[in-house]
Amino acid sequence: MKVIVCLLILLSTAFYSFSQNDERFNKVNSNIVNAVKQQHLFSKFIEGKIYFENKTVLSSLLNYNILTNELQFIENNDTLEVSNLSNVEKVVANNFTLLNIGKKKGLALIIAQSPDNTKQLAVKKSLITRTAQSGGFTVRNPEDVTVDIAIIGKVDYYLFNNNKATEANRKNFGKLFSNNKNDIEIYIKNNNIDFENEESIKQLFNYCISL
């Protein structure tokens, strides 16, 4: 991690352009420089509001760092981070809304929601650093020990019910829409729903809220 910190300090911060079906998140990125450039959820800092659990609201230019899992905002030309992400309820910026997953897992971006806004499907994208035997970006630490670092893209989907999050899997879909559990099971089988594919899981969610 010391190596990562050094690189983050030395490399200028660029951006990651959000794409709902980004193939880069399904494989190892062997170039740590490119990974650092992709570290932000939005292509630039955008106007938004941070809503805290204590009902206070912060308006600022903001962005979400998917490499460091930090909510960043600009104040007096300085880039700062929210000190305790667990105190954040949600973030609204342009047409985007991020909800707090809880359990220190960070923020997830809403990609579909029910007409009454009580149920949402959201995606959490992350860049994770790992040491690797091969396929990583080789650097040398101060002790002159070679370290292979792999940047792995990770995508997780969550269901929200009145701001409470659960993993978006077969079991939890059945729990959230328990009144139509049998119909949902049939739909999953007939449509070969893939819970790791965004369009597929959105298709299932939209079917559930239509029942």
Side-chain angles (χ1 to χ4, degrees), residues 2 22 36 48 84 88 120 132 140-141 152 154-155 170 178 184 187 192 202:
K2 290 181 180 179
D22 198 326
V36 172
N84 190 348
V88 175
Q120 292 89 12
R140 290 187 179 274
N141 63 21
I152 299 174
K154 188 171 183 291
V155 179
R170 192 186 202 114
S178 56
I184 292 170
Y187 187 87
N192 297 315
K202 279 177 65 177

Side-chain angles (χ1 to χ4, degrees), residues 136-175:
F137 183 81
T138 303
V139 296
R140 290 187 179 274
N141 63 21
E143 288 76 26
D144 200 34
V145 177
T146 299
V147 180
D148 285 333
I149 298 175
I151 305 298
I152 299 174
K154 188 171 183 291
V155 179
D156 296 294
Y157 297 99
Y158 291 90
L159 291 169
F160 283 82
N161 183 22
N162 293 316
N163 293 324
K164 294 184 178 180
T166 56
E167 292 182 14
N169 54 35
R170 192 186 202 114
K171 179 181 178 181
N172 288 331
F173 263 95
K175 285 184 176 181

